[in-house]
């Protein structure tokens, strides 16, 4: 596996490749990330991964400086997966000058849910992803469904800018107890890790109520939030939305059996976890 940090060297290495499959990451890789590499290989060749902790998507009081970094362990894992190139730019490589041009998602998608609680987050994500796409020029790129809103925003961005990159969605990888794998899970204490699967259990309970015909989504969401709060969680949202645009479903949407998803974000101790479940 070649480890490359400069954009120019990356382009030289990939010149002439027409079926590149790309998996962007922020490192601290776990089995969920590695599953993305395997899915990428089924859709293209060669497989290129990136590791870059993107400062633009972190708010002033978020965990940029303490975000877990495990570069050598990540390299070992990617080599075992047969990744062809690891693009690991420094901030100076990717942002040689201040990144004053930004990609801002539309407010009705970028400022709801995660965007409401993390202002500017999706502008940081879309800006770095567009820049990484420009560097790698992939035929396909793989993103996990765990970051459901992010996946939708990147897919829409790729479509609206007519990028020659197909966005492939990968199913959420979970531990045996249901907890969605995340680099931030490492922040959890032993007791918090034992409690963490309750978030996925709550999603399943919400989804089952909807499947059983309950259309009072505000009441369902309120009870789910109260349940988490009683268990010492600090929930930001539990929200039932339409899959196609992440807007709240109307009575006519329920009548037409619109495809739905329930999304949640909540802090357990000092760790903020997100998850979702398609209904």
């Amino acid at each position: 596996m070649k480890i490359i940090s400069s954009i120019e060297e990356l382009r030289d290495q990939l010149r002439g490749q027409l079926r590149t499959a790309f998996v962007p990451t922020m490192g601290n890789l776990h089995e969920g990330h590695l599953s993305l590499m395997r899915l990428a290989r089924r859709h293209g060749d060669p497989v290129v991964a990136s590791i870059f902790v993107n400062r633009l998507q972190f708010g002033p009081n978020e965990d940029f400086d303490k975000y877990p970094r495990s570069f050598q362990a990540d390299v070992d894992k990617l080599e075992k997966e047969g990744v062809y190139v690891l693009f690991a730019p420094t901030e100076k490589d990717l942002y040689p000058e201040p990144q004053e041009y930004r990609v801002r998602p539309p407010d009705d998608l970028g400022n709801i849910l995660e965007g409401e609680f993390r202002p500017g987050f999706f502008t940081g994500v879309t800006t770095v992803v567009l820049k990484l796409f420009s560097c790698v020029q992939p035929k396909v790129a793989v993103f996990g469904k765990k970051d459901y809103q992010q996946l939708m925003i990147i897919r829409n961005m790729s479509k609206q800018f007519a990028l020659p990159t197909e966005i492939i969605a990968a199913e959420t990888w979970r531990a045996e107890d249901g907890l969605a794998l995340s680099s931030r899970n490492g922040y959890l204490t032993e007791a918090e890790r034992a409690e963490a699967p309750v978030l996925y259990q709550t999603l399943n309970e919400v989804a089952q109520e909807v499947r059983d015909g309950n259309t009072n989504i505000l009441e369902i969401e309120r009870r789910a939030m109260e349940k988490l709060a009683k268990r010492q969680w600090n929930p930001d949202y539990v929200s039932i939305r339409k899959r196609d645009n992440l807007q709240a479903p109307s009575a006519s949407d329920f009548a037409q059996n619109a495809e739905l998803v329930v999304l949640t974000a909540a802090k357990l101790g000092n760790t903020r976890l997100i998850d979702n479940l398609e209904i």
Side-chain angles (χ1 to χ4, degrees):
M1 182 177 73
K2 296 178 174 61
I3 302 175
I4 296 173
S5 61
S6 82
I7 296 173
E8 183 178 358
E9 185 181 351
L10 177 73
R11 286 175 172 162
D12 285 343
Q13 184 67 44
L14 296 177
R15 187 164 286 116
Q17 298 285 0
L18 301 178
R19 299 183 60 248
T20 300
F22 179 44
V23 184
T25 83
M26 292 206 302
N28 195 37
L29 305 182
H30 49 66
E31 189 60 30
H33 292 111
L34 302 182
S35 73
L36 304 184
M37 308 298 163
R38 297 167 201 143
L39 181 59
R41 187 176 299 108
R42 297 206 297 270
H43 289 272
D45 181 62
V47 174
V48 176
S50 68
I51 292 177
F52 182 69
V53 182
N54 177 41
R55 188 184 297 271
L56 296 185
Q57 68 194 65
F58 286 79
N61 298 314
E62 294 186 335
D63 58 347
F64 175 80
D65 289 326
K66 70 172 186 174
Y67 190 85
R69 293 162 171 86
S70 53
F71 187 75
Q72 189 53 55
D74 294 344
V75 167
D76 295 341
K77 292 172 182 175
L78 293 175
E79 285 184 329
K80 289 178 182 177
E81 292 298 330
V83 170
Y84 176 61
V85 168
L86 168 60
F87 181 43
T90 65
E91 284 193 285
K92 194 168 184 179
D93 289 318
L94 203 59
Y95 302 130
E97 57 188 61
Q99 188 68 36
E100 295 171 342
Y101 287 82
R102 306 286 179 100
V103 181
R104 178 180 170 180
D107 290 347
D108 62 352
L109 185 56
N111 288 347
I112 63 173
L113 302 169
E114 284 298 281
E116 178 183 349
F117 289 92
R118 302 183 68 187
F121 170 69
F122 287 119
T123 294
V125 169
T126 48
T127 299
V128 76
V129 169
L130 184 61
K131 194 157 193 178
L132 289 169
F133 282 3
S134 175
C135 297
V136 178
Q137 299 182 25
K139 178 67 174 174
V140 301
V142 180
F143 292 84
K145 281 188 179 182
K146 186 181 81 71
D147 298 287
Y148 203 91
Q149 188 175 6
Q150 172 180 280
L151 169 66
M152 176 173 289
I153 286 173
I154 290 170
R155 181 171 276 158
N156 289 356
M157 177 189 75
S158 187
K159 178 182 177 182
Q160 289 204 1
F161 280 112
L163 302 180
T165 301
E166 179 186 0
I167 308 301
I168 305 293
E171 296 297 329
T172 300
W173 196 276
R174 299 185 180 278
E176 289 186 4
D177 58 10
L179 178 64
L181 296 196
S182 168
S183 297
R184 288 186 169 93
N185 290 353
Y187 297 157
L188 297 168
T189 66
E190 185 175 348
E192 289 166 351
R193 177 60 186 84
E195 169 68 15
V198 168
L199 196 64
Y200 184 52
Q201 294 168 15
T202 302
L203 289 177
N204 277 281
E205 291 167 4
V206 169
Q208 190 58 53
E209 283 208 58
V210 175
R211 293 189 192 106
D212 289 343
N214 188 347
T215 61
N216 188 346
I217 62 172
L218 294 179
E219 176 64 17
I220 298 172
E221 293 167 352
R222 183 188 63 78
R223 282 192 274 105
M225 295 270 284
E226 286 181 351
K227 173 193 170 179
L228 290 171
K230 286 178 181 177
R231 299 184 66 102
Q232 307 306 310
W233 292 75
N234 183 15
D236 286 338
Y237 59 85
V238 176
S239 192
I240 300 164
R241 300 295 176 105
K242 294 188 290 184
R243 291 188 209 175
D244 62 349
N245 59 12
L246 294 188
Q247 299 303 304
S250 65
S252 63
D253 291 321
F254 280 107
Q256 296 171 29
N257 294 316
E259 293 186 319
L260 304 176
V261 58
V262 54
L263 308 100
T264 186
K267 286 189 78 171
L268 183 58
N270 294 318
T271 305
R272 188 173 184 273
L273 302 177
I274 67 170
D275 204 350
N276 65 82
L277 182 65
E278 292 180 331
I279 302 175

